């Protein structure tokens, strides 16, 4: 087997225009035009609107390449394209090789007859996805119009959000977005290898079925090598009979793979060789983990459970929804991607949902999730829309589903296949269904066929080891209460879209909360990349351009006034919007974790951004942690202290919730204290929890005067072996009405190795203390924390590369709630 990558330097040309540009493959037209200085950065100001024309044109990518006589000596030479975005045709030496129409599929053509030894030419012509989508929409008008979207996306198998979303710009990329290469084989090649890392009676079993194309007809052998984390190897071989063979390696006492927080992530290498005698004809290699995984759905007193169970241990899923990490995905660096996955694991997450409006992620994404112990809920890429009903569309999707299920099914991180995002809800709850319209009925029948028949059948056939779920949200019963609290997963949007207060979260008891969220602005440093200071106003043209949920900025302000005083300036508005978001999501997650006997997971909407924008994300486009991400690290901690406050009755219920699989014991210390630090009452309770239990430890109503409500707080601390592990500060009134005084915060900064240690104290309660270093992006060990009067709080950060501790001191900025008004 020989391979030759065709990635690298290409030439780009707009169809019908003479100018040529240098192009980078993998890449896209927008990125090449930006690099050539021909279009402005679409993420700055409202430049997006100035570059809409790019995706309305047709584009050609071409290059020459050498083919060696040795390659042409092989029986077959394929052109293999891992990702073509999206629509067009490819020619070699002037002859059309084939057409493509799906960015999620791998395309493979036998091109030997078109190649010659020496120089060859290859040319891709990409048709405008926008013109295609709009023309089809004009003809069939099936899609659901949204103000933030180019219409007609569903006609194309292209990431739906690239046509615009309620957090994303309308910038559909065009181009060769993954590697492409020539692959040459003689006699036979591997067509498919189904690698199943199983655990059977405590033994690891690497069970591999290989399918081959054996046009040479010679006897073939498959050799399977399993490499343990310590480098030791086990090998087995088996004859390939006809077009398929099965080879199995058993691993005694395998090290089990666990989700983050439940154990280690030992990974085994699996490599497969196809031999003819001593000659290797083809190879494949994989990274696997041995684990069992089940989606447990059992009838119970509330309906039906929805719990992921790994190696027999029920997991409380803690995480977020994942969207594409860039509108132009080919420029996502390995460091950036790892930063996002590491940040998820750092916040004690164990699950991300790859949401159906994006794309099936690249190998490197799942490699990281395997390594960091992040389970993946994988949607098929359909979201919030009605899709075509014709046979060609169904066949295109069937091939796409087979490609991607085969590509990902061996992954330790893969937890679930899910049909689509929110489309069952559309049919049942959002008025999509019009029984009097025959076209509409056809669309609904097509929905049923796709998500209740075609896709589950592909999963059943290609990946019997993972469950299929028809839609998120769904009850699991077709067209029956998809957003039911009693069974299946839920999306809860009454807080945010429905403008309910955060307290409304406590009225819900979903079996699995796979979406809920609240927006904030991105960090000020990020806002500076798209808005000049003159535009620093919530309702300025530019700030509203970087807000795609039409009512979004108003919703932020409205909810802010429930909780906080009006911010005194724009930087404080940014700060408060982040704190508000963090507080809201905390409120929900704490409630659902307290009720873990009933609720089995929370995935907040959304982890990340694809451009700089006001959104529901906890990490902004530049990888900066918003307050929510720091808060997530606290509310997703393995042992959670939370206070169920009842403002009206001045009642505080103190809970401890444990995800630890062993018994847990510790101590609660509480006090009623003035903002100035005077203790009015205090007490302590011991905590002793069964494995994975949640329990109310202490409950108390206080009698407070109206003045006291504004000037005292309830502070609770959780200790283990005398060491503080968590603190919770709870007012008896909305934060805006607290009688806060200037805390006069003092921060000592010392150096310990490569770390800066910040020691924070104040004279009066400081809420949501934010530390930042002007001129550097660092992640602090904690941030947006409370500092009660007279209490010392210590946090650390890495010292930025090349900085002295004096520079850290000079750059340190400290903000607390008191500074916001
Ligand atoms: C859910 C998601 C997305 C959307 C988000 C915020 O519906 O599935 O479609 O971006 O809410 O509105």
């Amino acid at each position: 087997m020989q391979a030759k990558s065709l990635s690298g330097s290409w030439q780009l040309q707009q169809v019908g225009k003479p100018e040529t540009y240098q192009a980078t493959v993998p890449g896209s037209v927008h990125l090449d035009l930006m690099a050539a200085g021909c279009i402005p950065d679409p993420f700055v100001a409202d430049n997006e609107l100035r570059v809409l024309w790019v995706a309305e044109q047709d584009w050609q990518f071409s290059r020459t390449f050498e083919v060696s006589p040795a390659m042409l000596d092989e029986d077959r030479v394929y052109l293999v394209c891992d990702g073509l975005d999206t629509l067009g045709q490819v020619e070699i030496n002037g002859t059309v090789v084939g057409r493509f129409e799906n960015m999620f599929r791998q395309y493979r053509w036998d091109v030997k007859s078109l190649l010659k030894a020496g120089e060859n030419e290859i040319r891709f012509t990409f048709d405008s996805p926008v013109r295609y989508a709009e023309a089809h929409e004009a003809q069939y008008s099936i899609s659901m119009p949204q103000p933030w979207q180019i219409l007609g996306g569903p006609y194309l198998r292209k990431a739906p959000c690239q046509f615009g979303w309620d957090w994303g710009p309308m910038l559909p990329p065009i181009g060769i977005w993954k590697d492409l290469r020539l692959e040459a084989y003689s006699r036979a090649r591997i067509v498919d290898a189904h690698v199943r890392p199983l655990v059977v009676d405590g033994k690891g079993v690497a069970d591999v079925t290989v399918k081959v194309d054996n046009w040479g007809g010679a006897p073939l052998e498959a050799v399977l090598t399993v490499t343990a984390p310590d480098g030791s190897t086990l090998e087995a071989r088996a004859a390939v009979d006809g077009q398929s063979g099965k080879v199995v390696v058993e691993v005694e006492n395998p090290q089990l793979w666990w989700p983050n927080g439940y154990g280690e992530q030992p990974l085994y290498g699996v490599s497969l060789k196809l031999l003819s005698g001593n000659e290797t004809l083809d190879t494949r290699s994989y990274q696997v983990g041995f684990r069992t995984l089940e989606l447990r759905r059992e009838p119970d007193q509330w309906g039906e459970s929805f719990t992921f169970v790994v190696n027999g241990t029920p997991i409380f899923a803690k995480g977020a929804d994942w969207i594409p990490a860039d509108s132009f995905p080919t420029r996502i660096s390995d460091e950036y991607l790892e930063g996002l996955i590491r940040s998820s694991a750092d916040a004690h997450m164990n699950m991300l949902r790859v949401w159906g409006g994006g794309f099936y992620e690249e190998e490197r994404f799942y490699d990281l999730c395997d390594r960091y112990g992040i389970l993946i809920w994988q949607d098929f890429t359909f979201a919030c829309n009605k899709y075509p009903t014709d046979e060609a569309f169904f066949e295109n999707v069937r091939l796409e589903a087979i490609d991607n299920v085969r590509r990902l099914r061996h992954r330790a991180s893969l937890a679930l296949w899910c049909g689509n995002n929110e489309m069952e809800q559309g049919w049942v709850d959002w008025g999509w269904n019009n029984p009097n319209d025959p076209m509409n009925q056809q669309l609904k029948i097509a929905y049923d066929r796709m998500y209740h028949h075609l896709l589950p059948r592909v999963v059943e056939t290609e990946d019997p080891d993972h469950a299929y779920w028809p839609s998120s949200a769904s009850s699991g019963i077709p067209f029956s209460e998809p957003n039911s609290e009693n069974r299946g997963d839920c999306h809860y949007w009454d807080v945010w879209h429905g403008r309910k207060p955060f307290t409304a979260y406590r009225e819900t008891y979903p079996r699995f909360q796979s979406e809920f969220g609240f927006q904030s602005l991105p960090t000020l440093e990020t806002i500076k990349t798209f808005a000049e200071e003159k535009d620093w106003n919530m309702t300025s043209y530019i700030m509203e351009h970087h807000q795609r949920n039409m009512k979004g900025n108003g919703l932020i302000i409205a909810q802010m006034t429930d909780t906080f005083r009006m911010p005194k300036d724009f930087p404080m508005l940014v700060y408060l919007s982040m704190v508000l978001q963090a507080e809201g999501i905390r409120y929900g997650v704490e409630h659902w974790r307290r009720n873990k006997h009933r609720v089995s997971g929370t995935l907040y909407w959304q982890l990340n951004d694809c451009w700089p924008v006001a959104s529901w994300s906890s990490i902004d486009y530049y990888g900066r942690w918003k307050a929510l991400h720091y808060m997530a690290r606290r509310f997703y901690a393995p042992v959670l202290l939370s206070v169920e406050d009842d403002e009206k009755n001045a009642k505080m219920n103190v809970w401890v919730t444990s995800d630890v699989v062993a018994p847990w014991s510790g101590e609660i210390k509480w006090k009623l204290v003035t903002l100035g630090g005077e203790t009015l009452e205090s007490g302590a309770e011991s905590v002793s929890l069964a494995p994975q239990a949640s329990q109310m430890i202490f409950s108390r109503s206080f009698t407070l005067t109206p003045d006291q409500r504004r000037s005292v707080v309830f502070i609770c601390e959780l200790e283990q072996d005398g060491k503080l592990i968590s603190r919770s500060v709870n007012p008896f009134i909305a934060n805006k009405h607290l009688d806060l005084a200037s805390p006069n915060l003092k921060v000592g900064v010392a150096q310990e190795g490569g770390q800066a240690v910040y020691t924070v104290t104040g004279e009066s309660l400081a809420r949501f203390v934010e530390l930042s270093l002007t001129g550097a992006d660092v992640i602090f060990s904690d941030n947006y924390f409370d500092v009660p009067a007279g209490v010392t709080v210590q946090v650390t950060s890495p010292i930025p590369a090349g900085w002295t501790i004096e520079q850290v001191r000079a750059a340190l900025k400290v903000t607390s709630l008191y500074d916001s008004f």
Side-chain angles (χ1 to χ4, degrees):
M1 188 249 174
Q2 302 182 46
K4 179 187 171 80
S5 174
L6 298 179
S7 289
S9 184
W10 286 58
Q11 211 176 52
L12 171 66
Q13 194 169 5
Q14 184 181 335
V15 172
K17 290 274 167 78
E19 297 83 14
T20 60
Y21 313 91
Q22 142 85 33
T24 302
V25 169
S28 71
V29 174
H30 291 89
L31 294 179
D32 294 329
L33 294 181
M34 255 190 278
C38 297
I39 58 168
D41 183 342
F43 288 180
V44 174
D46 65 347
N47 287 343
E48 173 198 5
L49 305 178
R50 284 165 239 282
V51 307
L52 292 177
W53 65 271
V54 172
E56 290 161 6
Q57 308 304 318
D58 303 333
W59 297 88
Q60 274 180 349
F61 287 84
S62 58
R63 68 168 282 177
T64 56
F65 59 97
E66 295 287 319
V67 173
S68 67
M71 187 170 256
L72 292 178
D73 279 348
E74 303 260 13
D75 301 346
R76 292 186 183 177
V77 185
Y78 295 96
L79 171 66
V80 182
C81 303
D82 289 339
L84 298 171
D85 183 6
T86 291
L87 196 62
Q89 68 173 28
V90 52
E91 292 153 75
I92 288 181
N93 298 326
T95 303
V96 175
V97 173
R99 282 196 63 81
F100 46 86
E101 52 180 354
N102 187 330
M103 81 178 275
F104 312 123
R105 271 169 66 186
Q106 187 195 62
Y107 284 88
R108 175 184 293 270
W109 295 280
D110 189 343
V111 293
K112 183 172 167 179
S113 63
L114 302 179
L115 296 171
K116 52 184 196 272
E119 195 178 86
N120 292 264
E121 207 216 343
I122 183 166
R123 182 163 63 208
F124 285 87
T125 307
F126 287 91
D127 306 339
S128 156
V130 172
R131 283 209 328 271
Y132 182 92
E134 287 180 346
H136 279 69
E137 181 57 21
Q139 194 174 348
Y140 304 108
S141 56
I142 57 167
S143 70
M144 309 302 295
Q146 297 286 358
W148 30 257
Q149 201 170 41
I150 296 166
L151 289 189
Y155 301 95
L156 262 186
R157 293 309 296 147
K158 176 167 174 60
C161 69
Q162 294 179 336
F163 292 95
W165 214 261
D166 60 0
W167 38 258
M170 299 180 286
L171 294 168
I174 298 170
I176 302 164
W177 78 296
K178 293 187 179 181
D179 183 48
L180 78 173
R181 62 203 164 272
L182 295 176
E183 288 181 5
Y185 302 86
S186 289
R187 281 166 295 186
R189 73 175 187 94
I190 299 173
V191 173
D192 179 38
H194 188 175
V195 176
R196 300 173 69 193
L198 306 172
V199 184
V200 183
D201 299 331
K203 235 189 245 168
V205 179
D207 174 305
V208 178
T209 304
V210 57
K211 290 200 180 110
V212 301
D213 185 359
N214 181 4
W215 59 87
L220 300 175
E221 205 185 11
V223 181
L224 174 66
T225 309
V226 174
T227 307
D230 67 3
S232 60
T233 58
L234 290 166
E235 197 181 277
R237 30 180 85 215
V240 177
D241 204 9
Q243 303 296 316
S244 79
K246 188 175 161 81
V247 53
V248 174
V249 163
E250 292 197 347
V251 180
E252 294 292 335
N253 304 315
Q255 301 173 43
L256 294 183
W257 184 96
W258 290 94
N260 182 35
Y262 289 83
E264 301 293 306
Q265 290 79 42
L267 294 170
Y268 289 71
V270 166
S271 74
L272 183 67
K273 270 192 206 162
L274 183 67
L275 296 187
S276 166
N278 284 332
E279 195 186 341
T280 303
L281 301 183
D282 200 358
T283 61
R284 295 264 174 117
S285 54
Y286 304 85
Q287 161 183 292
V288 304
F290 288 104
R291 53 117 182 96
T292 63
L293 191 149
E294 165 202 355
L295 172 59
R296 193 172 283 170
R297 294 165 56 203
E298 282 170 353
D300 60 18
Q301 64 188 110
W302 300 286
E304 188 182 88
S305 62
F306 194 93
T307 310
F308 290 93
V309 179
V310 178
N311 302 325
T313 300
I315 304 294
F316 187 93
K318 297 184 285 199
D321 293 276
W322 170 274
I323 65 162
D326 199 309
S327 291
F328 303 110
T330 57
R331 68 172 168 188
I332 300 167
S333 71
D334 291 347
E335 288 91 325
Y336 184 73
L337 197 64
E338 179 155 8
L340 287 174
I341 303 300
R342 190 192 315 112
S343 293
S344 307
D346 279 354
H348 306 290
M349 292 186 185
N350 55 35
M351 183 178 278
L352 293 173
R353 169 169 167 249
V354 177
W355 165 77
F359 44 78
Y360 313 92
E361 287 288 330
E362 300 162 78
E363 297 304 321
R364 57 183 180 156
F365 173 88
Y366 303 96
D367 281 344
L368 289 164
C369 294
D370 288 347
R371 269 175 45 211
Y372 282 96
I374 305 293
L375 293 169
I376 294 300
W377 170 313
Q378 178 71 52
D379 284 0
F380 287 94
T381 51
F382 301 88
C384 304
N385 226 320
K386 296 177 184 171
Y387 283 80
T389 57
D390 58 283
E391 287 309 315
F393 183 83
F394 269 73
E395 181 57 10
N396 194 3
V397 170
R398 193 182 67 85
L399 295 172
E400 157 196 330
I402 291 174
D403 268 12
N404 287 286
V405 171
R406 287 184 175 179
R407 185 165 73 85
L408 302 177
R409 62 193 168 187
H410 63 281
R411 293 284 179 181
S413 49
L414 181 67
L416 182 72
W417 293 104
C418 171
N420 66 69
N421 177 68
E422 291 187 343
M423 285 157 53
E424 199 178 339
Q425 276 179 282
W427 284 105
V428 179
D429 296 333
W430 299 348
W432 290 7
N433 199 18
N434 174 2
N436 301 322
D437 174 352
M439 175 61 188
N440 210 56
Q441 284 318 293
Q442 206 182 315
L443 288 164
K444 190 174 175 193
I445 291 166
Y447 178 95
D448 186 55
R449 177 178 166 204
M450 183 72 85
Y451 306 100
H452 302 143
H453 298 278
L454 187 149
L455 291 175
R457 211 162 293 150
V458 169
V459 172
E460 205 177 280
T461 318
E462 300 292 337
D463 184 14
D465 302 320
H466 291 96
Y468 172 83
W469 190 244
S471 182
S472 183
S474 179
S475 67
I477 302 171
F479 303 119
S480 165
E481 297 183 70
N483 211 8
S484 160
E485 274 200 3
N486 303 330
R487 46 186 297 151
D489 66 323
C490 277
H491 291 189
Y492 183 76
W493 283 105
D494 286 5
V495 174
W496 185 257
H497 291 299
R499 177 56 182 105
K500 283 197 179 166
F502 295 137
T503 46
Y505 285 133
R506 287 198 187 157
E507 287 153 25
T508 72
Y509 295 86
R511 308 318 305 266
F512 192 103
Q513 192 70 279
S514 46
E515 273 190 26
F516 62 105
F518 197 87
Q519 278 202 1
S520 76
L521 295 175
T523 60
L524 191 59
E525 283 309 303
T526 293
I527 291 173
K528 286 179 189 168
T529 67
F530 65 80
E532 293 174 37
E533 208 167 328
K534 69 175 173 54
D535 299 315
W536 289 6
N537 185 298
M538 196 61 154
T539 50
S540 72
Y541 169 67
I542 293 299
M543 290 307 292
E544 290 196 346
H545 185 77
H546 286 252
Q547 163 63 274
R548 291 307 158 96
N549 187 206
M550 297 308 153
K551 293 183 293 183
N553 286 356
L555 284 171
I556 294 175
I557 296 284
Q559 204 102 347
M560 189 178 282
T561 58
D562 289 355
T563 308
F564 298 121
R565 299 188 202 180
M566 288 300 282
K568 69 179 180 201
D569 58 20
F570 186 76
M572 286 301 101
L573 172 74
V574 174
Y575 159 83
L576 277 190
S577 81
M578 290 197 292
V579 172
L580 180 71
Q581 177 195 34
E583 279 287 279
I585 301 307
R586 172 184 71 81
Y587 212 80
V589 171
E590 288 183 347
H591 161 69
W592 292 313
R593 285 194 66 187
R594 284 196 288 268
N595 290 283
K596 63 182 294 185
H597 58 296
R598 189 163 167 183
V599 183
S600 292
T602 58
L603 308 178
Y604 65 75
W605 184 267
Q606 69 208 66
L607 181 78
N608 55 325
D609 282 331
C610 66
W611 76 313
V613 66
S615 84
W616 300 266
S617 73
S618 62
I619 302 179
D620 76 21
Y621 174 69
Y622 289 101
R624 300 181 171 121
W625 285 25
K626 297 180 177 177
L628 172 56
H629 208 79
Y630 286 101
M631 193 66 94
R633 185 150 67 185
R634 278 179 254 150
F635 63 59
Y636 279 155
V639 178
L640 171 73
L641 164 70
S642 71
V643 176
E644 187 187 13
D645 55 347
D646 168 358
E647 203 180 292
K648 196 159 137 250
N649 301 306
K651 186 173 176 191
M652 299 289 172
N653 297 335
V654 178
W655 287 72
V656 180
T657 302
S658 166
D659 289 342
V660 178
V661 292
W664 193 91
S665 56
E667 201 185 8
I668 286 283
K669 289 185 176 154
W670 64 267
K671 57 187 172 180
L672 190 69
V673 60
T674 66
L675 302 181
E678 187 194 339
T679 301
L680 306 178
E681 268 183 68
S682 64
E685 302 285 331
S686 65
V687 181
S688 126
L689 287 183
Q692 298 189 294
S694 179
Q695 202 180 309
M696 195 203 289
I697 304 296
F698 168 79
S699 172
R700 176 79 183 267
S701 288
F702 296 92
T703 310
L704 300 174
T705 65
D707 282 348
Q708 277 180 319
R709 276 184 175 263
R710 300 174 54 225
S711 59
V712 301
V713 290
F714 176 76
I715 298 183
C716 195
E717 293 179 341
L718 179 64
E719 292 185 354
Q720 187 179 28
D721 302 327
K723 194 172 155 260
L724 178 74
I725 58 170
S726 168
R727 174 182 293 123
S728 169
V729 172
N730 302 273
F732 293 90
I733 202 161
N735 278 291
K736 62 186 174 184
H737 291 159
L738 276 180
D739 222 352
L740 292 176
S742 169
N744 229 333
L745 288 171
K746 298 269 178 302
V747 186
V749 183
Q751 179 166 8
E752 264 176 37
Q755 295 281 306
V757 181
Y758 309 84
T759 307
V760 190
T761 53
E763 293 164 6
S764 181
L765 173 68
R767 297 225 68 192
F768 312 116
V769 176
E770 176 198 71
L771 302 183
S772 61
L773 297 184
T774 306
D777 283 324
V778 291
I779 294 173
F780 291 85
S781 61
D782 197 7
N783 216 343
Y784 305 92
F785 48 83
D786 292 313
V787 182
V791 169
T792 302
V793 175
Q794 219 174 55
V795 299
T796 60
S797 83
I799 298 175
W803 283 38
T804 64
I805 198 71
E806 281 70 37
Q807 282 172 293
V808 172
R809 250 174 230 133
L812 180 68
K813 235 182 101 207
V814 188
T815 305
S816 81
L817 186 57
Y818 181 78
D819 303 306
S820 70
F821 49 85

